[in-house]
């Protein structure tokens, strides 16, 4: 794993690749970083916020038609097996989550990029994800108004 990560990072040190590159290491991070920012750093451990983000990324991948519906369920079961959260512990304001996601470092020219799964083991970056879809995913995870 370390050798794979080192190869990806060295090929795209400044996360500038148009076709994924280093951003691919961040599956679930756009969602997870938004959760950390809105909940307040320390409310969730980084891995806990990213665990919720992984579930949302799996659901995003399904909604975009890349993977079938079973992937989200498999993701949830695996994370729960290790005691990680799969949804928000308490509601966080949806508008603040969306705003925080919009400030993510993977954005390019004001356009959001999310990391999705084309299939298990193959991550891709996607742009122009419908904001309504992102809002629905956050709401399904427990976001409120």
């Amino acid at each position: 794993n370390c050798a794979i990560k080192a190869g990806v990072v060295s090929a795209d040190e400044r996360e500038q690749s148009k076709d994924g590159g280093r951003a691919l290491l961040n599956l679930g991070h756009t969602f997870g970083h938004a959760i950390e920012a809105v909940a307040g750093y320390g409310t969730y451990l980084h891995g806990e916020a990213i665990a919720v983000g992984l579930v949302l990324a799996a659901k995003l991948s399904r909604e975009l038609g890349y993977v079938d519906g079973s992937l989200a369920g498999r993701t949830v079961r695996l994370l729960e097996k290790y005691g990680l959260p799969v949804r928000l512990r308490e509601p966080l304001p949806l508008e603040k989550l969306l705003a925080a996601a919009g400030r993510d470092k993977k954005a390019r020219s004001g356009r959001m990029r999310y990391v999705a799964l084309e299939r298990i083991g193959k991550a891709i970056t996607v742009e122009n994800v419908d904001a309504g879809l992102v809002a629905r995913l956050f709401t399904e995870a427990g976001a409120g108004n």
Side-chain angles (χ1 to χ4, degrees):
N1 285 339
C2 291
I4 292 168
K5 182 175 181 177
V8 171
V9 171
S10 67
D12 185 22
E13 288 184 31
R14 300 190 200 291
E15 206 167 304
Q16 298 297 312
S17 174
K18 290 179 70 174
D19 297 321
R22 189 172 176 170
L24 297 179
L25 298 173
N26 294 316
L27 182 68
H29 281 64
T30 301
F31 294 109
H33 289 160
I35 292 166
E36 286 179 304
V38 174
Y41 292 99
T43 302
Y44 287 84
L45 296 174
H46 179 69
E48 292 173 329
I50 301 310
V52 177
L54 286 171
V55 172
L56 295 176
K59 290 180 177 183
L60 174 69
S61 301
R62 177 199 63 214
E63 292 295 322
L64 295 176
Y66 293 117
V67 297
D68 67 30
S70 69
L71 180 66
R74 289 176 64 187
T75 303
V76 166
R77 287 189 300 278
L78 179 65
L79 294 168
E80 286 179 335
K81 179 179 177 179
Y82 291 99
L84 292 164
V86 296
R87 55 180 292 112
L88 299 173
R89 291 186 195 118
E90 57 187 52
L92 296 173
L94 177 59
E95 291 304 317
K96 288 184 178 184
L97 287 166
L98 295 173
R103 292 188 297 272
D104 188 83
K105 66 181 181 177
K106 285 177 289 307
R108 293 285 181 266
S109 302
R111 294 193 327 225
M112 279 305 306
R113 290 192 321 162
Y114 287 86
V115 181
L117 288 172
E118 191 171 66
R119 64 180 188 276
I120 293 176
K122 173 76 168 115
I124 58 172
T125 54
V126 292
E127 292 184 1
N128 302 319
V129 174
D130 180 67
L133 171 57
V134 174
R136 181 166 53 86
L137 293 173
F138 270 129
T139 300
E140 289 175 6
N145 290 324

